[in-house]
Amino acid sequence: PDSELLKEMARERGLKNVSFYPGIDHLELKEYKTFVNPSISEVLCTTTAEALAMGKFVIIPSHESNTFFQQFPNCLAYSSPAEFRQRVAFAQTHEPTPLSADVARLLTWEAATERLIESAKITEKMSQAHYFDDVGARFHTWLGKGKKGNVIRRMAGAAPLLDPRDDQSPEASSSSQSP
């Protein structure tokens, strides 16, 4: 969607050796050995994973969204424009390292699912934190009920709750006294 803007920016900066191509199927990219993904906002980074799985160099920013990819030998991460230029020069003068079976497996959906399940496990520490969250929530609920809750709300500058279902609220007290 931003191709026209990007083309204009390239013209304004005098970049003459920049080519813009429409989207194509990644299988048509076999002749290329380098993939550049400057994004620091792409959550899944599927294109980066696909390029690595195809045995290409990937040039990506050193960013927390790219941490997973930095373990691969063909990942060339950069932190500055000068490093970016160095990574591009390296990729132009070297061949990507062929992926071993173990490294290639890390890029499969099966391995991704295993990482997801592992990261979703609740540890003992997390379980204890959940217990204290529950205790805190129960205390907060208890503290906010009835007359004491209304006193606390008044002290905080808020109006008391007038819930006729709460047998300790002012409205419930007056309605329970009527015949």
Side-chain angles (χ1 to χ4, degrees):
D2 297 327
S3 64
E4 290 307 315
L5 174 63
L6 294 172
K7 288 176 186 177
E8 182 181 328
M9 289 171 65
R11 279 191 299 274
E12 288 172 0
R13 287 172 172 77
L15 302 174
K16 295 180 176 88
N17 295 329
V18 176
S19 300
F20 294 88
Y21 300 97
I24 58 173
D25 188 293
H26 69 277
L27 293 176
E28 295 179 38
L29 301 173
K30 289 181 183 177
E31 67 187 81
Y32 299 97
K33 67 176 184 176
T34 305
F35 175 74
V36 177
N37 185 357
S39 177
I40 57 170
S41 62
E42 184 181 0
V43 177
L44 296 177
C45 301
T46 306
T47 54
T48 299
E50 289 175 347
L52 283 169
M54 293 174 70
K56 302 189 180 306
F57 283 122
V58 296
I59 301 175
I60 57 175
S62 292
H63 185 267
E64 60 190 26
S65 65
N66 291 323
T67 301
F68 171 74
F69 300 115
Q70 293 180 19
Q71 67 183 303
F72 296 95
N74 294 330
C75 178
L76 307 175
Y78 64 91
S79 298
S80 69
E83 276 188 344
F84 174 79
R85 288 189 294 275
Q86 290 170 353
R87 302 306 185 253
V88 170
F90 179 88
Q92 289 175 333
T93 58
H94 292 79
E95 290 302 314
T97 303
L99 298 180
S100 68
D102 290 339
V103 171
R105 187 188 178 290
L106 293 173
L107 295 165
T108 66
W109 284 112
E110 180 182 12
T113 302
E114 290 168 2
R115 288 189 299 275
L116 175 65
I117 290 169
E118 184 63 30
S119 70
K121 287 182 179 175
I122 297 176
T123 64
E124 185 64 33
K125 185 176 181 179
M126 292 166 68
S127 180
Q128 289 172 353
H130 180 69
Y131 169 78
F132 290 113
D133 285 346
D134 286 348
V135 169
R138 286 188 194 112
F139 177 71
H140 181 267
T141 301
W142 172 82
L143 196 59
K145 284 186 175 181
K147 290 181 184 178
K148 69 182 164 311
N150 284 334
V151 168
I152 291 169
R153 277 185 283 284
R154 282 190 189 106
M155 288 171 47
L161 290 181
L162 300 175
D163 187 348
R165 294 171 293 172
D166 182 354
D167 61 349
Q168 296 180 17
S169 71
E171 188 177 295
S173 300
S174 61
S175 65
S176 63
Q177 295 174 358
S178 48

